[in-house]
Amino acid sequence: MMSKICNSKTVSVIWSLILGKVSFLISGVIACIVILRLDNYILGTIIAGGVGGLLFGLLHWKHKMIGRMTIAGLIAVPIGLWGSFALVEGLVGGFGLLFPSVAAYFENSSIADIIAIILMGIIFGVIFGAIAYGRKSIRLFSAACGAVSIPIGLLVGSMNSGHWIKVWLENLFHIFGKIDLNFLMIITGFGIGVGLSIGLYSMTKQRR
C-alpha cells in the first residue's frame, strides 16, 4: 500500500514537471518567433513568462490559480533572466578590476554563462513561488529551479562551444526559422523547474 502511494506521488511530480516543460516550451517558441520578427527580447521574455504561466495553469487544471500563475510568469521570467545577467556582469566587472587575467579567462569560457543561467533559475524560482504560493514556498522553488538550471546551463555552454547538439536542435526547430536556441532552452528550463517545484510542493503539503 505504501509503495503504491509513493509511486502515485512520484508520478504526480513527474507529470507536473512534464506539464511545466510543455507549457514553457510552447511559450518559448512563441516568444522566439516574436523576437525573430521584431528583434525585441524584452517583449519576448514578457510573452514567454505570461503565456507559460497561463498554459501551465490551464494544463495543470489549477483554474483558481491561473491568474496568479500568469502574473508570476509575467514578472518572474523577465526579472529572472535580465536581473541575473546584470548581476553577473556587475560581479565579473568588479572581479576584473581586481584580477584581470582570471576575469579574461571567465569571459572567454562558458563558465560565466552557466553561472548566469543558474542564477536565473534561482531568481525565477524565488519570484514565481512567492507570487503563486507565498513566502513559505520560496526555499523549495529556488532550490528546485536552481538545480534544474545546472544541466540547462551546461547545455547552453555546449551549444555555444559548437557541440553537435546545437545542429540537432536547429534541425528540430528549423520549421520556426533561425530562432534563438539559447533563449528557448532557458525558458524551457524555467518550465521544468517550476513544474518540478509545484509537484514537490503539492507532495509536501499532502504529507502535512
Side-chain angles (χ1 to χ4, degrees):
M1 182 68 177
M2 184 62 70
S3 63
K4 287 183 178 179
I5 293 172
C6 290
N7 288 336
S8 176
K9 289 180 178 179
T10 301
V11 170
S12 179
V13 171
I14 294 171
W15 181 239
S16 180
L17 185 154
I18 291 170
L19 291 179
K21 177 183 177 180
V22 170
S23 300
F24 280 80
L25 176 61
I26 293 170
S27 72
V29 169
I30 295 170
C32 283
I33 293 171
V34 170
I35 292 168
L36 190 63
R37 299 288 185 270
L38 303 178
D39 194 25
N40 190 327
Y41 273 88
I42 294 175
L43 178 61
T45 54
I46 294 170
I47 290 172
V51 174
L54 174 63
L55 286 176
F56 187 78
L58 289 170
L59 292 176
H60 211 284
W61 289 91
K62 291 184 176 292
H63 293 161
K64 292 181 180 179
M65 294 192 66
I66 288 174
R68 277 191 193 179
M69 287 190 171
T70 303
I71 293 169
L74 279 169
I75 297 172
V77 170
I79 294 178
L81 203 148
W82 299 115
S84 60
F85 264 130
L87 182 60
V88 169
E89 285 294 322
L91 290 173
V92 170
F95 192 74
L97 293 174
L98 297 173
F99 308 99
S101 59
V102 179
Y105 168 76
F106 274 98
E107 288 179 357
N108 293 326
S109 70
S110 60
I111 296 175
D113 290 337
I114 294 170
I115 293 172
I117 291 168
I118 294 170
L119 278 174
M120 284 177 199
I122 294 170
I123 295 171
F124 169 81
V126 167
I127 297 171
F128 196 103
I131 294 173
Y133 288 91
R135 288 182 297 175
K136 290 182 179 179
S137 70
I138 288 176
R139 186 180 298 177
L140 189 152
F141 273 69
S142 60
C145 291
V148 168
S149 294
I150 295 172
I152 297 297
L154 293 171
L155 173 61
V156 171
S158 297
M159 290 195 299
N160 291 340
S161 63
H163 196 273
W164 62 265
I165 198 167
K166 182 177 182 180
V167 176
W168 182 78
L169 287 170
E170 285 175 343
N171 292 332
L172 185 65
F173 292 100
H174 78 279
I175 190 172
F176 303 110
K178 202 174 176 78
I179 61 175
D180 188 336
L181 290 174
N182 289 357
F183 180 85
L184 180 59
M185 292 303 106
I186 291 168
I187 298 300
T188 304
F190 285 165
I192 296 170
V194 79
L196 175 63
S197 300
I198 291 173
L200 292 173
Y201 187 76
S202 299
M203 188 170 69
T204 57
K205 281 187 70 178
Q206 288 174 6
R207 285 179 181 174
R208 291 171 191 167

